[in-house]
Amino acid sequence: MAMQPAAVAGTDALDESLTEAVVDLVLRGMWRGRPESEHRPLVEAGLAMVKGPMVLPTERARTAAAQILRIAPGSAEEQRITAVYEAFLPVNRRIREVCTAWQCRPDGTANDHSDSVYDAEVRESLEDVHEAIQPVLRRLERELAGSGRYMTALEEALDRFDEGAVEWLASPLCDSYHTVWMRLHQELLLVLGVSRAEDEALEEELVRRSRG
């Protein structure tokens, strides 16, 4: 992940030893299960809270991660990553459609996976998405330090899914394909300082353009 040292210093004097842990938690959105050793200092610093079986980032953590990851506005780097982000968004719509199709039949009923032909069609659509995201991630890797880990994690999730562990497509309980994808999406938003509302509006516009 891209760390911006200048931003860290202005984040309420955030201890640099916590930066990687706080960014990871914010990108994940939550940690399910007992707090790991890296989470305890975050809780003590007011950057995370334990709620039942989950560790959640606080508002201060989200603010810190946004400052740590944000690249210089108006920079050439921002322009290049924005171009990658705009290539990402239409593919982002497609992965949501694939995950929805895997979980629900076209008539809205739950997919019980008894129809192997239907499931194979969804898997083929997933392959199309996987092929489409690869050049996007290769471009991103040239611009954003550490982003190569997303391709590795997506391929691992796809391998596990193909081995029969169906939860590795969309379950939030593991580093599934969709879970990794969401972390990638969240990092792009923080790096570029894009709000969710702006993101949704731009995705809709780009998808509309791509479909003519």
Side-chain angles (χ1 to χ4, degrees):
M1 66 193 71
M3 297 289 187
Q4 307 299 321
V8 174
T11 313
D12 295 333
L14 179 63
D15 187 330
E16 288 192 28
S17 66
L18 299 179
T19 58
E20 186 170 349
V22 75
V23 167
D24 181 70
L25 182 59
V26 169
L27 293 182
R28 287 179 179 274
M30 68 180 72
W31 176 268
R32 293 178 182 267
R34 294 178 57 123
E36 300 288 341
S37 58
E38 66 265 27
H39 297 138
R40 296 190 186 99
L42 296 181
V43 174
E44 292 168 1
L47 295 164
M49 56 183 165
V50 179
K51 189 171 184 181
M54 297 181 294
V55 180
L56 302 170
T58 62
E59 189 58 39
R60 183 184 172 218
R62 286 187 283 270
T63 299
Q67 292 179 6
I68 291 165
L69 292 176
R70 183 70 170 103
I71 58 174
S75 64
E77 182 183 15
E78 182 187 53
Q79 293 175 9
R80 292 192 299 269
I81 296 176
T82 295
V84 177
Y85 165 65
E86 291 180 354
F88 164 83
L89 284 178
V91 192
N92 186 59
R93 172 67 63 87
R94 291 167 62 187
I95 191 60
R96 289 209 310 274
E97 292 171 348
V98 167
C99 290
T100 297
W102 181 255
Q103 295 167 333
C104 298
R105 302 278 298 187
D107 62 3
T109 59
N111 180 18
D112 62 5
H113 306 294
S114 60
D115 186 341
S116 60
V117 173
Y118 176 80
D119 280 0
E121 290 172 350
V122 177
R123 176 60 183 86
E124 185 173 344
S125 297
L126 176 59
E127 186 64 28
D128 291 340
V129 168
H130 191 64
E131 290 181 1
I133 199 60
Q134 290 181 55
V136 177
L137 289 178
R138 284 194 293 270
R139 289 173 60 191
L140 183 63
E141 190 172 3
R142 292 195 293 268
E143 305 296 341
L144 191 62
S147 59
R149 71 190 188 282
Y150 288 115
M151 192 71 254
T152 300
L154 288 174
E155 289 180 342
E156 179 178 346
L158 192 58
D159 286 345
R160 288 178 179 252
F161 177 68
D162 284 340
E163 288 167 0
V166 295
E167 66 273 16
W168 281 83
L169 174 56
S171 174
L173 302 178
C174 61
D175 285 345
S176 68
Y177 199 94
H178 186 247
T179 296
V180 173
W181 191 289
M182 288 194 300
R183 289 206 292 270
L184 163 64
H185 192 179
Q186 180 66 11
E187 182 163 0
L188 286 170
L189 296 182
L190 293 178
V191 163
L192 295 171
V194 177
S195 70
R196 280 288 175 181
E198 292 168 334
D199 175 73
E200 291 171 7
L202 181 57
E203 181 184 289
E204 187 61 37
E205 178 185 346
L206 292 172
V207 169
R208 188 170 59 250
R209 284 187 205 166
S210 69
R211 293 177 177 174

